[in-house]
Amino acid sequence: MAVDDNTVRRIAHLARIRVTDEEVPHLRSELNAILDFVAQLDQVDVSGVEPMTSVLPMDLRQREDKVTDGGYADRIVANAPQSEDNYFVVPKVVE
Amino acid sequence: MNAPVATHNLIKGATGDWEIVIGMEIHAQVSSQSKLFSGASTAFGGAPNDHVSLVDAAFPGMLPVINTECVAQAVRTGLGLKAQVNLKSVFDRKNYFYPDLPQGYQISQFKHPIVGEGEVIVDLSDGRRIVVGIERLHLEQDAGKSIHDLAPASSYVDLNRSGVALMEIVSRPDLRSSEEAKAYVTKLRTILRYLGTCDGDMDKGNLRADVNVSVRRPGEGLGTRCEIKNVNSIRFIGQAIEYEARRQIGIIEDGGSIDQETRLFDAVKGETRSMRSKEEAHDYRYFPDPDLLPLTFDQAYVDGLAAALPELPDAKKERFIAQYSLSAYDADVLVAERDTADFFEEVARGRDGKAAANWVINELFGRLNKEGHTVATSPVSAAQLGGIIDLIGEQVISGKIAKDLFEIVWSEGGDPRALVEERGLKQVTDTGAIEAAVDAIIAGNPDKVEQAKAKPTLLGWFVGQVMKTTGGKANPQAVNDVLKAKLGIE
């Protein structure tokens, strides 16, 4: 499995990372190096083996249905570049 | 695909008949106190960002912890849809960027949903019954809310909804008309409300539908579909389907083809519009959420929830038909809401079921609808309505007086039996009194008496006159009998 220049641009766009044309070939070879490295795992036959989701035999922790959090809108928006009346204010997102 | 095409569902185009194929994704907000993965409140409204925890706002280092009640609600819903409940399911990240999604991904379930295949039985108003297949139900987070009209160049974001638990219920493309689609959503909403797993309040956005519509020539394979996003009323669902089907037929008949795309329904104009600008974002790159282990439980847990489920609408309907000898239609009307069904049963207890159904459906519902009341806020209680029905049964009052009595109880309240006594509403069954009234009318109208002998239908006029002079309190059957005897009509 290898990625080409267009795939690199597409991944960058989906992740909202700006990538210049000059950077693309370098990123492509880095990504392909990573993919080649991981591809070594393909040598192991894992058919019939359940994917491991945790190194410890644990169950998903659950919590009771109680309101225990919230009520601090000022803290929620404290780091926002722009806010008003405790709303986040962002550039207009509809055309 | 090989099912016979039901001709009543075909719609006419310029070049022949077309069949509509509809599948739906319903987003139902889980009824819970707190959010799916945080302890913030799910209450509707609230000041901006007040019901938001650091988890919901995706602050660095925050980790999701699942709400056990949301899991139970999803399992209950699965049971209510007669669906496969999966003892192991997995949460995945659905990645996309939007200002009201602070995580940059929605936690959802992709490959391994909590609930698999099920079905919903839908009885249509024309008496047909359809079975709509459910493909799956999965748990996921709701997004926040963007408000676009507070400022000209900015959008305002409120995360109060962010992280609230939703159940996405995906149907198979089993629906063939806007009527079927509307009936399906109505039935699903009824089931959810019975289960108490979603309040079904579409005005608040707690139940909304993505509607997939395609058209085809009868007998052909599936056509290209368009998805109409976020339709938030049952009426709009119908309108959106009608418009969209016509639009697609128009394009195909003009030699064009349908682009698979996402559209939105404009309720003001009654049309669907393309949302093409968001299309390129549809590469969600799902992967298992590394913050969450698989969700597992055992069959005993599922059985425990199943044992505690209330009687569901289908079972209740069957029981009403059997126990109270109701028509399927009346039973449908009564079981549509749990409150209504309970009210009816309280009225019907120890009384004639049909009479109770008639009074609840025809008199009470009519009046409640007119005045914008619901059963919960009804000025006439089940006990009062039952009292009125008892008085008719005991022949203390006539059916006509009963309606007057209903009005009095509605506007003034009080015990029906006491009201009848106080206001002298008792039916006159005393033949002597009725005979006197009849004699007076006959004596006063010799011409009518002559006519009636030739034309027995005039009897109705006499009955009316007697009722008038007795203030409607005469027993109609007794009046009829006396009149027939006196006028010599068989």
Side-chain angles (χ1 to χ4, degrees):
Chain A
M1 183 171 160
V3 296
D4 58 14
D5 287 356
N6 276 335
T7 308
V8 171
R9 288 195 193 93
R10 179 168 169 74
I11 293 167
H13 173 70
L14 286 169
R16 298 298 186 272
I17 296 170
R18 184 171 300 154
V19 168
T20 63
D21 282 345
E22 297 80 69
E23 291 171 301
V24 168
H26 173 65
L27 285 168
R28 186 196 62 213
S29 58
E30 279 208 345
L31 284 172
N32 281 327
I34 293 167
L35 289 169
D36 286 345
F37 175 70
V38 176
Q40 293 178 59
L41 293 171
D42 291 343
Q43 295 167 17
V44 185
D45 180 7
V46 291
S47 51
V49 181
E50 271 218 26
M52 186 180 71
T53 47
S54 169
V55 289
L56 297 170
M58 284 168 53
D59 286 329
L60 177 64
R61 199 162 71 81
Q62 307 198 4
R63 33 164 267 275
E64 269 187 87
D65 182 27
K66 284 198 174 134
V67 177
T68 56
D69 211 344
Y72 42 77
D74 51 331
R75 287 174 64 205
I76 294 294
V77 298
N79 294 325
Q82 204 189 338
S83 66
E84 194 178 318
D85 296 335
N86 289 335
Y87 284 107
F88 291 96
V89 178
V90 301
K92 196 99 167 174
V93 281
V94 279
E95 51 277 5
Chain B
M1 288 310 95
N2 297 322
V5 177
T7 48
H8 49 258
N9 275 336
L10 295 182
I11 56 174
K12 290 239 177 295
T15 60
D17 289 342
W18 293 88
E19 186 181 31
I20 315 179
V21 178
I22 305 153
M24 289 215 254
E25 293 159 25
I26 305 285
H27 290 91
Q29 181 177 322
V30 174
S31 294
S32 65
Q33 298 299 309
S34 61
K35 295 183 179 181
L36 181 54
F37 294 114
S38 89
S41 168
T42 60
F44 182 77
N49 289 311
D50 194 38
H51 300 160
V52 180
S53 74
L54 299 176
V55 177
D56 310 316
F59 275 57
M62 294 299 115
L63 289 171
V65 185
I66 198 165
N67 181 337
T68 191
E69 176 63 9
C70 294
V71 174
Q73 294 286 54
V75 172
R76 288 184 190 111
T77 306
L79 293 167
L81 301 176
K82 294 174 226 125
Q84 157 87 29
V85 175
N86 295 321
L87 302 182
K88 177 177 177 180
S89 63
V90 177
F91 287 97
D92 297 285
R93 292 185 179 180
K94 178 181 179 178
N95 299 278
Y96 68 97
F97 279 106
Y98 206 72
D100 57 25
L101 187 79
Q103 289 168 155
Y105 56 85
Q106 176 192 33
I107 303 178
S108 181
Q109 298 188 298
F110 186 52
K111 272 193 195 156
H112 306 285
I114 185 166
V115 173
E117 293 188 3
E119 65 178 39
V120 175
I121 293 168
V122 182
D123 288 321
L124 301 163
S125 56
D126 62 9
R128 281 187 302 129
R129 166 173 284 196
I130 55 170
V131 178
V132 181
I134 298 296
E135 195 172 300
R136 58 185 282 156
L137 174 155
H138 64 255
L139 278 169
E140 63 183 26
Q141 297 175 301
D142 203 351
K145 188 176 166 196
S146 303
I147 303 162
H148 305 295
D149 55 4
L150 289 181
S154 5
S155 294
Y156 283 50
V157 179
D158 174 12
L159 299 179
N160 280 348
R161 289 192 84 110
S162 169
V164 168
L166 301 179
M167 296 177 283
E168 179 171 326
I169 303 166
V170 183
S171 87
R172 296 209 171 277
D174 286 347
L175 301 158
R176 294 291 177 270
S177 69
S178 58
E179 283 311 312
E180 291 186 4
K182 288 195 290 185
Y184 164 68
V185 178
T186 304
K187 181 62 180 288
L188 186 58
R189 185 171 173 273
T190 296
I191 294 171
L192 295 171
R193 286 169 58 87
Y194 265 71
L195 291 165
T197 58
C198 168
D199 68 15
D201 190 338
M202 299 185 85
D203 291 339
K204 291 181 182 161
N206 294 352
L207 187 81
R208 45 202 204 259
D210 295 346
V211 190
N212 287 290
V213 179
S214 64
V215 297
R216 65 179 174 191
R217 299 285 190 187
E220 285 184 356
L222 290 174
T224 304
R225 69 172 193 271
C226 290
E227 180 179 18
I228 311 162
K229 279 276 185 198
N230 259 332
V231 191
N232 63 358
S233 92
I234 289 175
R235 193 162 58 93
F236 292 163
I237 289 170
Q239 288 176 5
I241 292 168
E242 292 292 332
Y243 178 88
E244 181 60 18
R246 285 284 163 202
R247 186 188 73 87
Q248 292 184 13
I249 291 168
I251 289 172
I252 300 169
E253 291 194 330
D254 287 345
S257 61
I258 305 300
D259 295 328
Q260 181 165 345
E261 62 177 0
T262 305
R263 301 178 68 85
L264 57 83
F265 178 67
D266 182 331
V268 179
K269 292 183 179 160
E271 61 181 32
T272 64
R273 269 207 309 275
S274 178
M275 306 173 58
R276 230 166 250 146
S277 55
K278 283 184 90 178
E279 276 302 273
E280 64 162 354
H282 283 188
D283 184 351
Y284 294 129
R285 292 149 295 144
Y286 283 98
F287 64 88
D289 191 319
D291 290 340
L292 292 159
L293 288 163
L295 172 61
T296 53
F297 40 77
D298 55 20
Q299 188 59 41
Y301 169 76
V302 178
D303 294 343
L305 292 173
L309 286 188
E311 183 182 36
L312 291 175
D314 289 339
K316 202 183 276 292
K317 179 183 170 183
E318 291 308 315
R319 182 168 64 79
F320 278 14
I321 291 172
Q323 184 175 342
Y324 300 110
S325 311
L326 301 188
S327 68
Y329 176 83
D330 283 354
D332 256 337
V333 172
L334 291 170
V335 304
E337 296 285 344
R338 201 164 150 183
D339 279 358
T340 309
D342 290 348
F343 188 98
F344 162 74
E345 288 218 85
E346 214 180 314
V347 176
R349 189 171 304 134
R351 303 191 175 93
D352 177 54
K354 273 187 186 165
N358 279 339
W359 273 88
V360 170
I361 293 171
N362 299 326
E363 299 303 322
L364 183 68
F365 284 4
R367 198 63 206 270
L368 291 174
N369 287 339
K370 207 164 108 189
E371 313 264 333
H373 275 289
T374 64
V375 160
T377 62
S378 170
V380 178
S381 71
Q384 286 170 319
L385 189 53
I388 295 173
I389 295 168
D390 286 343
L391 292 168
I392 306 170
E394 295 162 18
Q395 302 214 350
V396 175
I397 55 173
S398 65
K400 185 185 171 303
I401 291 290
K403 289 185 186 182
D404 297 342
L405 180 60
F406 177 82
E407 284 302 316
I408 296 168
V409 175
W410 176 282
S411 45
E412 299 170 36
D415 172 45
R417 194 172 294 274
L419 284 167
V420 166
E421 288 292 339
E422 277 166 30
R423 313 214 175 175
L425 299 173
K426 265 193 178 164
Q427 182 163 253
V428 179
T429 43
D430 166 18
T431 329
I434 293 172
E435 273 182 18
V438 168
D439 288 342
I441 303 285
I442 288 177
N445 301 277
D447 49 332
K448 297 267 185 199
V449 174
E450 277 313 305
Q451 288 171 35
K453 281 177 179 153
K455 198 179 163 200
T457 47
L458 259 183
L459 189 68
W461 180 85
F462 283 94
V463 175
Q465 293 302 308
V466 175
M467 292 312 260
K468 205 188 263 176
T469 56
T470 56
K473 288 181 286 183
N475 179 312
Q477 191 54 49
V479 173
N480 255 312
D481 294 345
V482 172
L483 271 169
K484 277 184 181 164
K486 300 238 173 202
L487 292 171
I489 298 172
E490 271 311 305

